Amino acid sequence: MHRPRPAVGVSVAVLIVAGVMSGGGTGRASADPGSAGTLYVNHDVACSDTGAGTQSAPFCTVQAAADVVEPGQTVRIESLDDQTYSESVTLTRSGTKDAPITFTGAPISVGGSWAELDSSGSGPALTLKAVHDVRVDHLAVWYRGRDGVAVTGSEGVDLDRLSFPRPAVRAPGAGTAVTVDGASSDVTVSRNWIGDGYAYGVRVQPGAVRVTATTNVVTTPRLGGIAVTGTSGANVTSNTVIAPCAPGISLDGGSSGTVENNVVASTPAHQSDTCPAPTAPLYSVPADSAGQVTADYNVAANGAPGTARPRPEYSWDGTPYATTAALRDATGQGAHDMDGLNVSSSLTQPNEHSVLIDSADAGAPGELASDIHGVPRADDPLVADTGTGETTRPDRGAIERQNTFTVPADDMPSPSSGVAPFVVSLRTDDATTSWGKPVTAYSVDFGDGSAPVTRAPGAPITHTYATPGTYRVTLTVTDTDGSSHIAQPRVVAGTTTPPAASLSGAVVSNAYGEVDAGDARFTVPQPADAWEIAQRFITFGDGDSEGLPNTPQQVEHQYQAPGTYTATLTQRDLIGRTTTAKVTFHAADAFLPVTPPHDTKKTIAAHGVLKLSAATLGADGDGVDAAQLQVVTSAAKASGSLTLYTDGTTRPGTSSISFEPGRTATNEATVEVTPTGSVDIYNGSSGAVTVNVATLGLQSHTQFGRTYHPATPVRLFDTHPVAGGHSVMLTVAGAHGVSADANAVVLNVTATTTKGSGSLTVSPASTINSGVRGPYWTTGQTASAQVVVPMTDGKVELHNTSRSSANLIADVVGWYGPTTSGSVFQPVSPARILNTRTGAGSGKIAKLGAHATLKLKVTGAHGVPASGVSAVDLNLTVPAPSGTGYLIAYADGTSRPGVHSVDFTTKHTVANRALVKVGTDGEIDLYNAGSTPVDVYADLLGDYAVHPVG
């Protein structure tokens, strides 16, 4: 996660630095961070806590450096990826006055991020324990409800330019940003940003000596901004405290010292857990300290003139004072204090002509030569000087008003991007300043290792970028006083060709091998020259999109409906070039067996419609698109057929089962459903018929389910007689090419040499009342059906319900299992793709001849993809045949198997479902094994595709 910059919550209009920068009036000397005495900490590279801490082999943790640092050494803490050091660091080693120890998190380059500490336990993020001559600067400390930095039993300590960012979640205040205990002395807390969340910003405990809190910003402290108790020689100078829910600055417990040049600003607030004392005085010096404390040049920003004062401005010697005038008249303190201001909403530099400008006491104890940003205190020529000081004119508070530079776009490198090598140019004659002081010099560091160029305003500066890369230019414009404005535009030198886009995809599977056939996992690898990419995003083809970082990604997307979608990865590079990569995803369905089946029994009037809700069918689950149903007809009053289709759609010209009086018929059908809709069953007969509808399985695009594996038909059981009322157990899984993990099988079952009327039930082994009805027959009739049967232990049971024997045949035509290599289902609107009576699908009006084969193209039309299809879900009908026989449906280009796809007898219309494997040419073959020509209908219900991604 990218962390914010350390100066959290602060908006700075311009960045201005002096030609020669002062580190502050009270700070001690520090070692050169680039000297040989530098220890490095960098967890972003190959590091070791047992090494020497060199730049090429740094320590991984700050504590490792703290354990070995010697006087005069600097510990440089680096964080190129902006990730925090999650540790609680304790320093027990000291420097000397001439060779102090320095810890710094200053960025390697201008504009970089400070290193960050985040306490890993209940203690402070950083503890300085019994040390002396130590400096800590440029570190960010993350608030976690605990103390940030604790100084215990130490002396000669400087804490400078630290940042305590505002927490993401504001809890009731706890902890202190900087704590100095009573056994410490000569401690300076300077130029720190302390964000919301802390109980105290700076807290000094009884017994401490000579503690200076200067040029800090503290926002919304819960119990105190800067609280000094029982401390001698305390200096509280040039701090800015915003919206304290307690005293902003307090010296009590017998403290002595000065309070000068501070700004404490209030905001109206109500008492709460996070704001316990919203009406406390802005400044508090009780009776035990009033005689030893002097206060002057402070600001009580407690509301504009004429507005109600929300709280006292001072409490001095036990007496509250509503205004600075009242304090001055009663005590003589605050002779130059100001009130009647409202500056609480701004943490930027004072507005031009503000009374805060050039009005502080330059000689106040602890006053620094630079403000919280490290820029010098400056004399504003547009404001009359009302403060003190011969060489500097400091503003009140922690932030100094600076000369504002205006550098127009013409003075920035142009063009800002191009293909390397290319030339940039910038003008040097347009910059102006708000104080009217002339610009004397332009200095440009082009950021590519070349020598900086400095010249007086005049002719343009040009430069050639020879090597591809992103470069941070540092442009420094300086006026006659030595004040400078720094701008850091970026220049991009691109490669000859933009980074190539790459995208692949796969269907999502779980640990059991089941697939969510509507859920795609797209893989976006790390591109070459990733630094050059400005933006990456993927559109999924269904209206949704997602932005991506420039790192390897796996993006998962759940499609809301089956269909074919084109996902597109788009990359735009830093110089505006775009590359794309596309992949096609076929969102489909996975199979969910249902055991025992949901069933319902109803009578449908002649030409009537029976509506069955998705809930009745058990098909109202997540993402269910289709149900595999078994329909059994009985008590038909006239011959006819049923058509099953989705409620709310136009009834198709297809049929699902044919029936006639005096006979029981059965068939399976796949029907599209919607979670809130119904399945309609239309009775095309002139008489009523009773139907029993059972759900055998579901197809869902959002649930993990099984894939289908069409097989070249394999015979399990061949023309063996089974006595009436008896069963035979067949082993399926782990044999005959069926996986041992298969949990449902598709069988073609046939009864022949039937000695009496009856039917066949196919069940999972060792189950009760969960069987699938196979074919019904009359005495002497050969009947067949295709059934889908769940399996619990890899076996199925064939049960002859007749009182008489029958020879049974069972062929495996496919199986379902938890394997990602199988096929997934795509439902289509029912369509008649073959009608030999009209020539549809066959190209001619002619019956399928005896012992003849018809080739039928099943891919590339009616919603079926042109490629990748492994099987089609059909309903085959032989209407009113003139003889007896059977059809065999199989994959074109393969040997004809001996299965019975549809058995027919003279003048009896019959229909059977057929899951048929598809040939590599997208065709299936229909063979008439009978001795007479017959008409054939083929109704398409859906297809199974092998590869969901293309």
Short mmCIF file of all heavy atoms in Angstrom, two decimals, residues 131 163 230 391 613 875 884:
data_model
loop_
_atom_site.label_atom_id
_atom_site.label_comp_id
_atom_site.label_asym_id
_atom_site.label_seq_id
_atom_site.Cartn_x
_atom_site.Cartn_y
_atom_site.Cartn_z
N VAL A 131 20.45 7.85 27.04
CA VAL A 131 21.45 8.17 26.02
C VAL A 131 21.79 9.65 26.11
O VAL A 131 21.09 10.45 26.76
CB VAL A 131 20.94 7.82 24.61
CG1 VAL A 131 20.60 6.35 24.51
CG2 VAL A 131 19.73 8.67 24.23
N SER A 163 7.42 13.46 11.75
CA SER A 163 6.03 13.56 11.33
C SER A 163 5.22 12.47 12.01
O SER A 163 5.63 11.31 12.04
CB SER A 163 5.92 13.43 9.81
OG SER A 163 4.56 13.38 9.40
N GLY A 230 6.37 20.64 35.97
CA GLY A 230 7.49 20.52 36.89
C GLY A 230 8.83 20.55 36.21
O GLY A 230 9.76 19.83 36.60
N THR A 391 18.37 41.18 12.15
CA THR A 391 18.69 40.48 10.89
C THR A 391 17.55 39.63 10.38
O THR A 391 17.48 39.34 9.18
CB THR A 391 19.92 39.58 11.09
OG1 THR A 391 19.65 38.63 12.14
CG2 THR A 391 21.13 40.42 11.48
N SER A 613 -42.63 -23.25 -11.16
CA SER A 613 -41.68 -22.22 -10.72
C SER A 613 -40.29 -22.82 -10.55
O SER A 613 -40.12 -24.03 -10.36
CB SER A 613 -42.15 -21.59 -9.42
OG SER A 613 -42.03 -22.53 -8.36
N ASN A 875 -32.58 -33.36 -28.56
CA ASN A 875 -33.75 -34.23 -28.42
C ASN A 875 -34.05 -34.77 -29.81
O ASN A 875 -34.33 -34.00 -30.74
CB ASN A 875 -34.94 -33.47 -27.86
CG ASN A 875 -36.03 -34.41 -27.39
OD1 ASN A 875 -35.82 -35.18 -26.46
ND2 ASN A 875 -37.18 -34.38 -28.05
N THR A 884 -39.83 -50.82 -37.78
CA THR A 884 -39.19 -50.91 -36.46
C THR A 884 -37.69 -50.82 -36.63
O THR A 884 -37.12 -51.31 -37.61
CB THR A 884 -39.56 -52.24 -35.79
OG1 THR A 884 -40.98 -52.30 -35.62
CG2 THR A 884 -38.88 -52.39 -34.45
#
